[in-house]
Amino acid sequence: MSVRKPNFELLRIIAMLMIVTLHYNIHADALLQLGVPASKVQIFATVIETFCITGVNVYVLLSGYFLSQTNIKLSRMLKLICQVYFYTILISVAMMIVGTYTVGSDDTIYKTAQYLFPISSEHYWFVTAYVIMYVLSPVLNAAVNALSRIQLKTVIIGLLIWFCAIKSVVPVMFVTDHAGYDYGWFICLYLIAAYIRKYDVVLFFNAKRSALVFLISSLISFAMSLALHYINLTRGGFIYYSQVPTHYNFIFTLTGALGLFSVFRFLKMKENWFANVVRFVAPFTFGVYLVHMHLEIRNRWVEWLESLIGPVPMDNVLFFAWHMIRCVIIVFAAGIFVDWIRKMIFDFIGRVMKDTKLFKFIHKWDEKIC
């Protein structure tokens, strides 16, 4: 079994911290609002937003980079799905027990379907897109291995034109554009990462230039967000396009993600206690997402933390930043701890059931498809 590279695992942790930060900004209602003059806190939150928006793309790029040269096993796929069900059902039951369940009587059937079929119902949009990408990964890997370099490059360019380039410059919302919240965009990212790994593509020459690409891309997205907000405030219009700079499939969100990915690809970490801690924590980051973005939690965790550390300060940038940092760290640490518990439970079940017919069948199926 290959040892996880600490530089990529550290990037995985940072990407999830960025994702939690995005969700904090949304649920703290701290971002720019069209038609309303921007406050200093809203401008600061938008700066943070444009830097952190790359986190989702980075997370998917990491998956594509490693999955593209990995045998996809049925057991791994089932573990992923079981992990999703563990949270969707267990959290719901726990909320019912403590009396904080929010589903109304007129919404029971639909909400029940979201818990019983979390992937099909997009209980977590990211999970739905990710699982479909994961299921298709053997097909994608076969294509990556079979196509010539020019053929694969042409496919990627075509997908980028379709999913990214056109929507980035045309200020009109297309029916087929989902702002990167779908498996189509994830497949595009997967193929980009697979291409980088297969042909050992060196992005942006070195770590400094890669960091500069990340910095400039994020600042351009921020400048566009602020400019479009001002134009809308003073003249009207651009209601849709003002949100495009923070879409996952916006051109500068992609270049920013590639820049950040490239920085950590160049990074050489020493093998010490910190590298071991990073390797331990990184596999639990997906659990952080599943915990804090559960339907019963996603719109309430900021409010819960406000009762613990005080309300979100919307009149002072430094106080807002300190509040945000604490909230993100608390959510991240809690998610890591909960998913560590989940892993121990899964490991125990695996040991108990390893000799059952079901587990033997899954093991045999793994051998057939690998």
Side-chain angles (χ1 to χ4, degrees), residues 116-133:
L116 296 180
F117 307 99
I119 297 171
S120 298
S121 65
E122 286 197 342
H123 183 122
Y124 307 93
W125 76 264
F126 179 89
V127 172
T128 300
Y130 189 87
V131 168
I132 294 174
M133 181 196 75

Side-chain angles (χ1 to χ4, degrees), residues 13-14 16-25 48 52 288 301 305 309 321-335:
I13 292 172
I14 292 173
M16 186 52 65
L17 286 168
M18 296 168 91
I19 291 169
V20 177
T21 302
L22 294 175
H23 297 153
Y24 172 87
N25 279 340
I48 300 300
C52 290
V288 174
W301 63 267
L305 289 175
I309 62 176
W322 176 231
H323 192 279
M324 176 186 67
I325 291 169
R326 286 181 292 167
C327 286
V328 170
I329 291 175
I330 290 171
V331 169
F332 184 82

Side-chain angles (χ1 to χ4, degrees), residues 219-234:
L219 289 176
I220 290 175
S221 294
F222 166 68
M224 288 184 63
S225 295
L226 200 61
L228 290 166
H229 176 271
Y230 178 76
I231 293 172
N232 176 268
L233 181 66
T234 56

